[in-house]
Amino acid sequence: MKIKILSLFMVFVLAAGLFAGCGQADISGNSSAGTAAQSAALSTTAAPGAAADSTGIDSKAVRYPLTLKDAGGTSVTIAAKPAKIAAFPLGVCEMLISLTDKSQIAAMTYFVEDQGVSNITDAARGVGQRMDFNAEKILALQPDLVLADAWSDANIIKLLRDSNINVFVLKTPSNIDQEKEMLKLLGDITDNAGKAEELTNWMDQKLKSVSDRLSVLKEEEKLSIIDYSEMGSTSGKDTNFDDIVTRAGLTNPVSKEGLTGWPQLSKEMIVKYDPDIISVPSWFYDTSKATPESLTKSIREDKSLAGVKAVKNNRIISVPYNHLSATSHYSVLAVEDMAKAAYPDLFK
């Protein structure tokens, strides 16, 4: 299941979804060519401050002890502001870098260092250890809070809790509204509610700037799009991809047909849907059998797909995968990426 999320989620959509450092100049800390689209996306809307100040003061202070029910239904009591957090979902790591003082983060997933899927490769440098969800390593670290994926090994979670390690299980967001809810939750947990509100306001501003550009589109002018992974699957309802492309002024025929999650996509389905655009990932979890370039080439050269509009009109696209796969506030940048790729004339 984890691979599916990282590859149908990082491989569609990967966490298993900003603003590094202090100030307002950069929300990611990244400087690679792969994040050029992100820099352009930020040029029109200033990002809020990246992290809580060194005093830890927040205008919306949280009162402890704080008892919350996690995604697994367990009531978890957080006695005081966490000072030693181990976070494993990538999207949660991205949120924490934006919400908290970096000194509070003791460990993060290895994926924070992969520029193909991470928006915080530079911001995370030197922050905490890199760790997988391993009981022995976590016990050695002795964090005061572990943030785990809902699909994490239940036996490890039980072992940690039996060892008096506070574990809070989180459900991976499947749309932007859920990412906003996650920001609020993490803001409450870490005593950074005000910062969480700033970040959600920034998300709303980015979405509005895209929506304003798309407002001239009539319903019948909206283009259709499907995504196609190296595993031959696509994205339907209740996925980040579907939410992103809908907000980008596109229609997803897979979702409209009522298919949910990540169904397999046959060539017959592609012909039936006849999409205006086909989106392929720019990052693969496993490149041993295929690469983004080889997948694109195979679609273009497949004679059975020659009559599909996206193939005829050479509209097989890839957008930055660290945006598209994000389960954090960075996903709003994928909305802009998609809208620009689909309707370039509206963004001149």
Side-chain angles (χ1 to χ4, degrees), residues 145-171:
L145 180 64
V146 172
L147 299 173
D149 296 301
W151 60 81
S152 297
D153 190 323
N155 293 322
I156 293 178
I157 292 173
K158 183 179 186 304
L159 189 155
L160 293 174
R161 285 174 171 164
D162 289 347
S163 302
N164 296 316
I165 300 291
N166 224 12
V167 180
F168 196 91
V169 176
L170 297 158
K171 181 181 178 181

PDB file of all heavy atoms in Angstrom, residues 145-171:
ATOM      1  N   LEU A 145       6.958  13.156  20.173  1.00  0.00           N
ATOM      2  CA  LEU A 145       5.790  12.960  19.312  1.00  0.00           C
ATOM      3  C   LEU A 145       6.222  12.331  17.996  1.00  0.00           C
ATOM      4  O   LEU A 145       7.177  12.790  17.358  1.00  0.00           O
ATOM      5  CB  LEU A 145       5.087  14.294  19.028  1.00  0.00           C
ATOM      6  CG  LEU A 145       3.843  14.225  18.140  1.00  0.00           C
ATOM      7  CD1 LEU A 145       2.731  13.425  18.818  1.00  0.00           C
ATOM      8  CD2 LEU A 145       3.341  15.626  17.787  1.00  0.00           C
ATOM      9  N   VAL A 146       5.510  11.277  17.593  1.00  0.00           N
ATOM     10  CA  VAL A 146       5.710  10.647  16.287  1.00  0.00           C
ATOM     11  C   VAL A 146       4.462  10.888  15.456  1.00  0.00           C
ATOM     12  O   VAL A 146       3.347  10.614  15.904  1.00  0.00           O
ATOM     13  CB  VAL A 146       5.962   9.129  16.427  1.00  0.00           C
ATOM     14  CG1 VAL A 146       5.980   8.452  15.057  1.00  0.00           C
ATOM     15  CG2 VAL A 146       7.265   8.871  17.169  1.00  0.00           C
ATOM     16  N   LEU A 147       4.640  11.395  14.239  1.00  0.00           N
ATOM     17  CA  LEU A 147       3.544  11.602  13.296  1.00  0.00           C
ATOM     18  C   LEU A 147       3.665  10.534  12.217  1.00  0.00           C
ATOM     19  O   LEU A 147       4.642  10.512  11.465  1.00  0.00           O
ATOM     20  CB  LEU A 147       3.606  13.010  12.698  1.00  0.00           C
ATOM     21  CG  LEU A 147       3.473  14.144  13.722  1.00  0.00           C
ATOM     22  CD1 LEU A 147       3.711  15.504  13.056  1.00  0.00           C
ATOM     23  CD2 LEU A 147       2.110  14.120  14.403  1.00  0.00           C
ATOM     24  N   ALA A 148       2.668   9.653  12.160  1.00  0.00           N
ATOM     25  CA  ALA A 148       2.753   8.471  11.292  1.00  0.00           C
ATOM     26  C   ALA A 148       1.623   8.446  10.277  1.00  0.00           C
ATOM     27  O   ALA A 148       0.554   9.025  10.487  1.00  0.00           O
ATOM     28  CB  ALA A 148       2.710   7.198  12.134  1.00  0.00           C
ATOM     29  N   ASP A 149       1.870   7.740   9.157  1.00  0.00           N
ATOM     30  CA  ASP A 149       0.843   7.514   8.143  1.00  0.00           C
ATOM     31  C   ASP A 149      -0.216   6.544   8.661  1.00  0.00           C
ATOM     32  O   ASP A 149       0.083   5.644   9.448  1.00  0.00           O
ATOM     33  CB  ASP A 149       1.454   6.892   6.883  1.00  0.00           C
ATOM     34  CG  ASP A 149       2.452   7.793   6.203  1.00  0.00           C
ATOM     35  OD1 ASP A 149       2.056   8.892   5.817  1.00  0.00           O
ATOM     36  OD2 ASP A 149       3.624   7.380   6.056  1.00  0.00           O
ATOM     37  N   ALA A 150      -1.429   6.683   8.144  1.00  0.00           N
ATOM     38  CA  ALA A 150      -2.505   5.763   8.511  1.00  0.00           C
ATOM     39  C   ALA A 150      -2.210   4.344   8.062  1.00  0.00           C
ATOM     40  O   ALA A 150      -2.746   3.387   8.628  1.00  0.00           O
ATOM     41  CB  ALA A 150      -3.832   6.248   7.918  1.00  0.00           C
ATOM     42  N   TRP A 151      -1.360   4.181   7.028  1.00  0.00           N
ATOM     43  CA  TRP A 151      -1.038   2.835   6.538  1.00  0.00           C
ATOM     44  C   TRP A 151       0.243   2.277   7.178  1.00  0.00           C
ATOM     45  O   TRP A 151       0.721   1.206   6.805  1.00  0.00           O
ATOM     46  CB  TRP A 151      -0.880   2.834   5.022  1.00  0.00           C
ATOM     47  CG  TRP A 151       0.201   3.737   4.525  1.00  0.00           C
ATOM     48  CD1 TRP A 151       1.545   3.501   4.479  1.00  0.00           C
ATOM     49  CD2 TRP A 151       0.038   5.055   4.032  1.00  0.00           C
ATOM     50  NE1 TRP A 151       2.225   4.569   3.974  1.00  0.00           N
ATOM     51  CE2 TRP A 151       1.318   5.551   3.691  1.00  0.00           C
ATOM     52  CE3 TRP A 151      -1.068   5.870   3.832  1.00  0.00           C
ATOM     53  CZ2 TRP A 151       1.515   6.834   3.170  1.00  0.00           C
ATOM     54  CZ3 TRP A 151      -0.875   7.146   3.315  1.00  0.00           C
ATOM     55  CH2 TRP A 151       0.405   7.609   2.991  1.00  0.00           C
ATOM     56  N   SER A 152       0.777   2.983   8.164  1.00  0.00           N
ATOM     57  CA  SER A 152       1.991   2.508   8.833  1.00  0.00           C
ATOM     58  C   SER A 152       1.733   1.195   9.563  1.00  0.00           C
ATOM     59  O   SER A 152       0.595   0.890   9.944  1.00  0.00           O
ATOM     60  CB  SER A 152       2.482   3.558   9.836  1.00  0.00           C
ATOM     61  OG  SER A 152       2.835   4.761   9.200  1.00  0.00           O
ATOM     62  N   ASP A 153       2.778   0.441   9.771  1.00  0.00           N
ATOM     63  CA  ASP A 153       2.689  -0.862  10.426  1.00  0.00           C
ATOM     64  C   ASP A 153       2.063  -0.713  11.818  1.00  0.00           C
ATOM     65  O   ASP A 153       2.636  -0.080  12.719  1.00  0.00           O
ATOM     66  CB  ASP A 153       4.099  -1.457  10.535  1.00  0.00           C
ATOM     67  CG  ASP A 153       4.099  -2.903  10.983  1.00  0.00           C
ATOM     68  OD1 ASP A 153       3.259  -3.266  11.823  1.00  0.00           O
ATOM     69  OD2 ASP A 153       4.963  -3.662  10.503  1.00  0.00           O
ATOM     70  N   ALA A 154       0.900  -1.322  11.983  1.00  0.00           N
ATOM     71  CA  ALA A 154       0.174  -1.216  13.254  1.00  0.00           C
ATOM     72  C   ALA A 154       0.963  -1.835  14.403  1.00  0.00           C
ATOM     73  O   ALA A 154       0.856  -1.382  15.560  1.00  0.00           O
ATOM     74  CB  ALA A 154      -1.188  -1.879  13.134  1.00  0.00           C
ATOM     75  N   ASN A 155       1.750  -2.853  14.128  1.00  0.00           N
ATOM     76  CA  ASN A 155       2.556  -3.493  15.174  1.00  0.00           C
ATOM     77  C   ASN A 155       3.628  -2.550  15.707  1.00  0.00           C
ATOM     78  O   ASN A 155       3.899  -2.524  16.913  1.00  0.00           O
ATOM     79  CB  ASN A 155       3.203  -4.771  14.634  1.00  0.00           C
ATOM     80  CG  ASN A 155       2.184  -5.849  14.319  1.00  0.00           C
ATOM     81  OD1 ASN A 155       1.205  -6.016  15.041  1.00  0.00           O
ATOM     82  ND2 ASN A 155       2.399  -6.562  13.218  1.00  0.00           N
ATOM     83  N   ILE A 156       4.218  -1.765  14.798  1.00  0.00           N
ATOM     84  CA  ILE A 156       5.231  -0.804  15.230  1.00  0.00           C
ATOM     85  C   ILE A 156       4.582   0.303  16.050  1.00  0.00           C
ATOM     86  O   ILE A 156       5.115   0.738  17.084  1.00  0.00           O
ATOM     87  CB  ILE A 156       5.978  -0.221  14.012  1.00  0.00           C
ATOM     88  CG1 ILE A 156       6.804  -1.321  13.328  1.00  0.00           C
ATOM     89  CG2 ILE A 156       6.880   0.942  14.438  1.00  0.00           C
ATOM     90  CD1 ILE A 156       7.547  -0.860  12.091  1.00  0.00           C
ATOM     91  N   ILE A 157       3.421   0.760  15.613  1.00  0.00           N
ATOM     92  CA  ILE A 157       2.712   1.799  16.361  1.00  0.00           C
ATOM     93  C   ILE A 157       2.408   1.311  17.775  1.00  0.00           C
ATOM     94  O   ILE A 157       2.626   2.033  18.762  1.00  0.00           O
ATOM     95  CB  ILE A 157       1.414   2.203  15.633  1.00  0.00           C
ATOM     96  CG1 ILE A 157       1.752   2.928  14.331  1.00  0.00           C
ATOM     97  CG2 ILE A 157       0.540   3.094  16.529  1.00  0.00           C
ATOM     98  CD1 ILE A 157       0.554   3.230  13.458  1.00  0.00           C
ATOM     99  N   LYS A 158       1.930   0.070  17.896  1.00  0.00           N
ATOM    100  CA  LYS A 158       1.617  -0.480  19.215  1.00  0.00           C
ATOM    101  C   LYS A 158       2.874  -0.596  20.069  1.00  0.00           C
ATOM    102  O   LYS A 158       2.869  -0.244  21.263  1.00  0.00           O
ATOM    103  CB  LYS A 158       0.960  -1.847  19.079  1.00  0.00           C
ATOM    104  CG  LYS A 158       0.537  -2.462  20.413  1.00  0.00           C
ATOM    105  CD  LYS A 158      -0.140  -3.804  20.220  1.00  0.00           C
ATOM    106  CE  LYS A 158      -0.678  -4.340  21.553  1.00  0.00           C
ATOM    107  NZ  LYS A 158       0.376  -4.442  22.590  1.00  0.00           N
ATOM    108  N   LEU A 159       3.955  -1.072  19.466  1.00  0.00           N
ATOM    109  CA  LEU A 159       5.212  -1.211  20.211  1.00  0.00           C
ATOM    110  C   LEU A 159       5.675   0.142  20.738  1.00  0.00           C
ATOM    111  O   LEU A 159       6.112   0.258  21.893  1.00  0.00           O
ATOM    112  CB  LEU A 159       6.268  -1.834  19.304  1.00  0.00           C
ATOM    113  CG  LEU A 159       7.594  -2.263  19.937  1.00  0.00           C
ATOM    114  CD1 LEU A 159       8.244  -3.357  19.105  1.00  0.00           C
ATOM    115  CD2 LEU A 159       8.571  -1.090  20.079  1.00  0.00           C
ATOM    116  N   LEU A 160       5.592   1.158  19.894  1.00  0.00           N
ATOM    117  CA  LEU A 160       6.022   2.496  20.317  1.00  0.00           C
ATOM    118  C   LEU A 160       5.150   3.015  21.452  1.00  0.00           C
ATOM    119  O   LEU A 160       5.655   3.567  22.446  1.00  0.00           O
ATOM    120  CB  LEU A 160       5.977   3.460  19.120  1.00  0.00           C
ATOM    121  CG  LEU A 160       6.970   3.197  17.992  1.00  0.00           C
ATOM    122  CD1 LEU A 160       6.707   4.127  16.817  1.00  0.00           C
ATOM    123  CD2 LEU A 160       8.410   3.364  18.477  1.00  0.00           C
ATOM    124  N   ARG A 161       3.846   2.832  21.312  1.00  0.00           N
ATOM    125  CA  ARG A 161       2.935   3.312  22.366  1.00  0.00           C
ATOM    126  C   ARG A 161       3.156   2.538  23.664  1.00  0.00           C
ATOM    127  O   ARG A 161       3.108   3.124  24.754  1.00  0.00           O
ATOM    128  CB  ARG A 161       1.493   3.205  21.886  1.00  0.00           C
ATOM    129  CG  ARG A 161       1.129   4.284  20.868  1.00  0.00           C
ATOM    130  CD  ARG A 161      -0.261   4.095  20.281  1.00  0.00           C
ATOM    131  NE  ARG A 161      -0.645   5.270  19.482  1.00  0.00           N
ATOM    132  CZ  ARG A 161      -1.646   5.294  18.615  1.00  0.00           C
ATOM    133  NH1 ARG A 161      -2.384   4.195  18.417  1.00  0.00           N
ATOM    134  NH2 ARG A 161      -1.932   6.393  17.946  1.00  0.00           N
ATOM    135  N   ASP A 162       3.391   1.236  23.551  1.00  0.00           N
ATOM    136  CA  ASP A 162       3.672   0.433  24.744  1.00  0.00           C
ATOM    137  C   ASP A 162       4.973   0.867  25.421  1.00  0.00           C
ATOM    138  O   ASP A 162       5.178   0.614  26.610  1.00  0.00           O
ATOM    139  CB  ASP A 162       3.760  -1.050  24.386  1.00  0.00           C
ATOM    140  CG  ASP A 162       2.402  -1.656  24.037  1.00  0.00           C
ATOM    141  OD1 ASP A 162       1.371  -1.001  24.319  1.00  0.00           O
ATOM    142  OD2 ASP A 162       2.381  -2.770  23.457  1.00  0.00           O
ATOM    143  N   SER A 163       5.837   1.531  24.633  1.00  0.00           N
ATOM    144  CA  SER A 163       7.119   2.035  25.162  1.00  0.00           C
ATOM    145  C   SER A 163       7.011   3.505  25.562  1.00  0.00           C
ATOM    146  O   SER A 163       8.028   4.192  25.727  1.00  0.00           O
ATOM    147  CB  SER A 163       8.226   1.849  24.115  1.00  0.00           C
ATOM    148  OG  SER A 163       8.348   0.493  23.740  1.00  0.00           O
ATOM    149  N   ASN A 164       5.771   3.979  25.684  1.00  0.00           N
ATOM    150  CA  ASN A 164       5.490   5.362  26.121  1.00  0.00           C
ATOM    151  C   ASN A 164       5.955   6.424  25.134  1.00  0.00           C
ATOM    152  O   ASN A 164       6.291   7.543  25.521  1.00  0.00           O
ATOM    153  CB  ASN A 164       6.108   5.630  27.505  1.00  0.00           C
ATOM    154  CG  ASN A 164       5.491   4.765  28.582  1.00  0.00           C
ATOM    155  OD1 ASN A 164       4.269   4.600  28.636  1.00  0.00           O
ATOM    156  ND2 ASN A 164       6.334   4.182  29.427  1.00  0.00           N
ATOM    157  N   ILE A 165       5.974   6.068  23.848  1.00  0.00           N
ATOM    158  CA  ILE A 165       6.224   7.049  22.795  1.00  0.00           C
ATOM    159  C   ILE A 165       4.871   7.510  22.266  1.00  0.00           C
ATOM    160  O   ILE A 165       4.032   6.686  21.892  1.00  0.00           O
ATOM    161  CB  ILE A 165       7.055   6.445  21.639  1.00  0.00           C
ATOM    162  CG1 ILE A 165       8.414   5.956  22.147  1.00  0.00           C
ATOM    163  CG2 ILE A 165       7.224   7.459  20.507  1.00  0.00           C
ATOM    164  CD1 ILE A 165       9.361   7.047  22.564  1.00  0.00           C
ATOM    165  N   ASN A 166       4.638   8.796  22.250  1.00  0.00           N
ATOM    166  CA  ASN A 166       3.365   9.353  21.791  1.00  0.00           C
ATOM    167  C   ASN A 166       3.302   9.309  20.264  1.00  0.00           C
ATOM    168  O   ASN A 166       4.107   9.958  19.585  1.00  0.00           O
ATOM    169  CB  ASN A 166       3.230  10.797  22.278  1.00  0.00           C
ATOM    170  CG  ASN A 166       1.847  11.099  22.816  1.00  0.00           C
ATOM    171  OD1 ASN A 166       1.054  10.189  23.041  1.00  0.00           O
ATOM    172  ND2 ASN A 166       1.551  12.368  23.029  1.00  0.00           N
ATOM    173  N   VAL A 167       2.356   8.536  19.717  1.00  0.00           N
ATOM    174  CA  VAL A 167       2.201   8.388  18.275  1.00  0.00           C
ATOM    175  C   VAL A 167       0.841   8.948  17.869  1.00  0.00           C
ATOM    176  O   VAL A 167      -0.191   8.554  18.426  1.00  0.00           O
ATOM    177  CB  VAL A 167       2.302   6.920  17.824  1.00  0.00           C
ATOM    178  CG1 VAL A 167       2.144   6.818  16.303  1.00  0.00           C
ATOM    179  CG2 VAL A 167       3.621   6.310  18.274  1.00  0.00           C
ATOM    180  N   PHE A 168       0.858   9.840  16.890  1.00  0.00           N
ATOM    181  CA  PHE A 168      -0.386  10.397  16.354  1.00  0.00           C
ATOM    182  C   PHE A 168      -0.475   9.982  14.889  1.00  0.00           C
ATOM    183  O   PHE A 168       0.395  10.310  14.082  1.00  0.00           O
ATOM    184  CB  PHE A 168      -0.407  11.920  16.470  1.00  0.00           C
ATOM    185  CG  PHE A 168      -1.773  12.527  16.294  1.00  0.00           C
ATOM    186  CD1 PHE A 168      -2.600  12.749  17.378  1.00  0.00           C
ATOM    187  CD2 PHE A 168      -2.244  12.853  15.028  1.00  0.00           C
ATOM    188  CE1 PHE A 168      -3.867  13.297  17.225  1.00  0.00           C
ATOM    189  CE2 PHE A 168      -3.502  13.390  14.853  1.00  0.00           C
ATOM    190  CZ  PHE A 168      -4.327  13.613  15.961  1.00  0.00           C
ATOM    191  N   VAL A 169      -1.533   9.231  14.556  1.00  0.00           N
ATOM    192  CA  VAL A 169      -1.712   8.695  13.206  1.00  0.00           C
ATOM    193  C   VAL A 169      -2.521   9.676  12.364  1.00  0.00           C
ATOM    194  O   VAL A 169      -3.556  10.183  12.811  1.00  0.00           O
ATOM    195  CB  VAL A 169      -2.414   7.327  13.253  1.00  0.00           C
ATOM    196  CG1 VAL A 169      -2.695   6.808  11.856  1.00  0.00           C
ATOM    197  CG2 VAL A 169      -1.554   6.329  14.033  1.00  0.00           C
ATOM    198  N   LEU A 170      -2.050   9.919  11.152  1.00  0.00           N
ATOM    199  CA  LEU A 170      -2.666  10.901  10.259  1.00  0.00           C
ATOM    200  C   LEU A 170      -3.135  10.262   8.961  1.00  0.00           C
ATOM    201  O   LEU A 170      -2.425   9.437   8.379  1.00  0.00           O
ATOM    202  CB  LEU A 170      -1.653  12.009   9.929  1.00  0.00           C
ATOM    203  CG  LEU A 170      -1.170  12.837  11.123  1.00  0.00           C
ATOM    204  CD1 LEU A 170       0.164  13.481  10.802  1.00  0.00           C
ATOM    205  CD2 LEU A 170      -2.191  13.878  11.516  1.00  0.00           C
ATOM    206  N   LYS A 171      -4.309  10.646   8.520  1.00  0.00           N
ATOM    207  CA  LYS A 171      -4.821  10.180   7.234  1.00  0.00           C
ATOM    208  C   LYS A 171      -4.300  11.098   6.129  1.00  0.00           C
ATOM    209  O   LYS A 171      -4.384  12.319   6.236  1.00  0.00           O
ATOM    210  CB  LYS A 171      -6.349  10.191   7.220  1.00  0.00           C
ATOM    211  CG  LYS A 171      -6.961   9.706   5.918  1.00  0.00           C
ATOM    212  CD  LYS A 171      -8.476   9.763   5.970  1.00  0.00           C
ATOM    213  CE  LYS A 171      -9.092   9.315   4.641  1.00  0.00           C
ATOM    214  NZ  LYS A 171     -10.570   9.394   4.662  1.00  0.00           N
TER     215      LYS A 171
END
